[in-house]
Amino acid sequence: MRKFLLYLFLILSTLGFNACSHHDDPIPEPPTAYKRTLFVYMPWASNLYSAFEQNLKDMMTAINSTGLDNQRIIIFLANSNKTATLQEVVLYNGFYSRKNIKDYSFTMADYTTVSGLTSILADLVTIAPADEYSMIIGCHGMGWLPVTRSALAPSTRWFGGASSLYQTEISTLHQALSNANIKLEYLLFDDCYMATAEVAYELKDVIKYLIASTCEIMNYGMPYHKMGKYLLGKPDYENICASFFTFYNSYSYPYGTISVTSTSQLPALAQAMKDLNDSYSFDPSYLESIQDLDGFTPTIFFDFGSYVKYLTAVNPDAAGTCLYRLDLAVPYKSNTPQYYSQFIRRGIDLAEYSGLTISDPSTHDDTKSKDQTSWWYATH
């Protein structure tokens, strides 16, 4: 019987079976799961909305140049403090464009809570199931610090809006990703100060790679029209950093730092740091000598490698293992000769750059809770 049906099909095909089709036949459903889904997440930040739109325009430039190969791109864009849209990048008349697929309405910034962010990620998994997820977060950023911090950098970025009502804790992001059963291939923070040991360690179980800046990112954000092709498909981390440097080194404000952290290397790095903390105490007289990576007074974010060297200043050979582990944890990094400080409104020389910051030696009031971070518990 099966042979008869096969012969019948072949005969019909020979006679012009396709002539029976119509232009209005339904389009076949897409695969139930793509290989990759990239989630672009842009929560509310009123003074960055125009920058977000430029970011998305630059992304579309990269996508139309590169195309999408078994990949979907979903965008969450808050267009006010109470509304947001979920969009998908779709092919239309030969060009990729953004299409609204869902509207959100909030009485408060629900996306800053575990339940709210989990719900959004659940929508992502339902709408765009994939074997592998990556995520870009665009907003302001202030590293690992609690959300109660006031906004001090209006022309740069940190994770949330200018008000604490629209800021999200790193632990909230961790829990929401865990609830959604997502482990990201990479998380790119298009936000200031997010390449910190504390942030990376907090997220190590839900992301494989952290792409972020140790310092402030200029209002323009990541140059997606240049680096986008390296974020699509299989990530090319080396060229992500290289294209970032090429853009910012010739930008009108030539300041930028970027790094890629491999979270699988962080437990070994934490153990090496703990070994040093068990044996050495930091001499505060060296505080002004460590490479700082912000313009705060006192400094909040210090270069990790520089701090390790001064922690072991009485026995420089002791730093070797920790610095080796740090190099393994940060396989790719790039920086312009200076980074920009909004607070003193000028560039600051970078004599050392390891790609991660640490707040252990900070005496700033806002770092009083550093001993409550997962990183601190693992290293002290």
Side-chain angles (χ1 to χ4, degrees):
M1 182 64 178
R2 290 185 181 181
K3 287 184 178 179
F4 173 76
L5 292 175
L6 175 59
Y7 294 151
L8 178 61
F9 175 78
L10 292 173
I11 292 170
L12 290 172
S13 297
T14 304
L15 294 175
F17 185 74
N18 288 335
C20 298
S21 64
H22 298 281
H23 292 296
D24 57 353
D25 281 347
I27 298 173
E29 290 294 321
T32 55
Y34 280 63
K35 183 171 179 59
R36 296 181 177 89
T37 289
L38 172 59
F39 185 39
V40 181
Y41 182 70
M42 295 175 163
W44 177 242
S46 60
N47 61 342
L48 285 179
Y49 187 78
S50 60
F52 290 167
E53 286 291 352
Q54 181 63 52
N55 292 157
L56 293 172
K57 180 180 178 181
D58 288 349
M59 286 183 194
M60 298 310 300
T61 297
I63 293 166
N64 275 299
S65 174
T66 304
L68 297 177
D69 182 12
N70 199 20
Q71 181 172 15
R72 295 176 77 177
I73 298 181
I74 306 296
I75 301 164
F76 176 93
L77 176 63
N79 42 36
S80 77
N81 62 343
K82 294 183 179 180
T83 59
T85 61
L86 202 64
Q87 306 171 1
E88 181 170 9
V89 174
V90 297
L91 188 62
Y92 182 73
N93 286 341
F95 293 94
Y96 287 97
S97 58
R98 293 153 49 193
K99 175 184 177 182
N100 285 5
I101 55 177
K102 183 171 182 176
D103 293 319
Y104 292 92
S105 180
F106 309 104
T107 53
M108 295 184 66
D110 298 335
Y111 49 80
T112 66
T113 66
V114 171
S115 60
L117 188 50
T118 297
S119 177
I120 293 169
L121 292 172
D123 287 343
L124 171 71
V125 172
T126 300
I127 293 169
D131 298 331
E132 177 184 292
Y133 291 91
S134 297
M135 186 173 182
I136 294 172
I137 297 179
C139 212
H140 293 296
M142 192 54 76
W144 62 271
L145 297 189
V147 299
T148 53
R149 181 174 178 82
S150 60
L152 297 175
S155 66
T156 54
R157 302 179 173 213
W158 51 294
F159 187 23
S163 164
S164 60
L165 292 173
Y166 312 114
Q167 298 167 10
T168 302
E169 296 274 10
I170 298 302
S171 58
T172 296
L173 175 62
H174 174 277
Q175 189 59 56
L177 286 167
S178 180
N179 290 348
N181 197 30
I182 294 175
K183 183 162 187 176
L184 300 173
E185 168 63 26
Y186 69 77
L187 170 61
L188 187 159
F189 274 117
D190 197 351
D191 321 331
C192 302
Y193 303 120
M194 302 307 288
T196 80
E198 295 85 356
V199 167
Y201 197 82
E202 181 70 29
L203 295 173
K204 65 180 176 57
D205 297 327
V206 291
I207 67 174
K208 294 180 181 178
Y209 291 92
L210 172 67
I211 308 170
S213 175
T214 56
C215 305
E216 298 190 36
I217 291 182
M218 304 312 297
N219 202 30
Y220 190 88
M222 295 287 175
Y224 296 106
H225 59 305
K226 300 293 185 182
M227 66 192 299
K229 61 183 177 180
Y230 305 117
L231 293 166
L232 299 171
K234 182 176 174 58
D236 183 343
Y237 296 110
E238 183 174 10
N239 276 314
I240 287 170
C241 292
S243 57
F244 176 92
F245 170 79
T246 299
F247 176 81
Y248 271 108
N249 197 46
S250 59
Y251 187 55
S252 54
Y253 291 89
Y255 312 106
T257 62
I258 192 171
S259 65
V260 176
T261 300
S262 172
T263 61
S264 65
Q265 298 292 331
L266 293 178
L269 176 61
Q271 183 59 56
M273 191 74 243
K274 186 178 188 309
D275 292 342
L276 291 184
N277 285 329
D278 288 345
S279 302
Y280 299 91
S281 296
F282 179 69
D283 182 347
S285 66
Y286 289 123
L287 194 61
E288 297 299 318
S289 300
I290 307 173
Q291 174 70 64
D292 67 81
L293 288 170
D294 72 359
F296 297 98
T297 303
T299 295
I300 292 176
F301 304 106
F302 294 90
D303 183 80
F304 194 127
S306 182
Y307 171 64
V308 168
K309 292 174 185 177
Y310 284 102
L311 174 65
T312 59
V314 297
N315 181 17
D317 292 340
T321 298
C322 191
L323 294 177
Y324 169 72
R325 291 296 179 185
L326 178 59
D327 284 341
L328 291 179
V330 188
Y332 306 105
K333 58 183 180 289
S334 188
N335 64 280
T336 54
Q338 293 186 322
Y339 71 89
Y340 184 76
S341 170
Q342 170 70 16
F343 309 99
I344 57 178
R345 297 185 180 277
R346 65 175 177 84
I348 298 175
D349 291 340
L350 267 170
E352 297 183 76
Y353 181 67
S354 64
L356 274 181
T357 65
I358 190 171
S359 295
D360 277 22
S362 179
T363 59
H364 198 291
D365 285 345
D366 285 353
T367 65
K368 288 180 178 178
S369 61
K370 62 188 176 185
D371 60 356
Q372 299 173 31
T373 63
S374 299
W375 170 257
W376 186 276
Y377 289 135
T379 58
H380 291 80

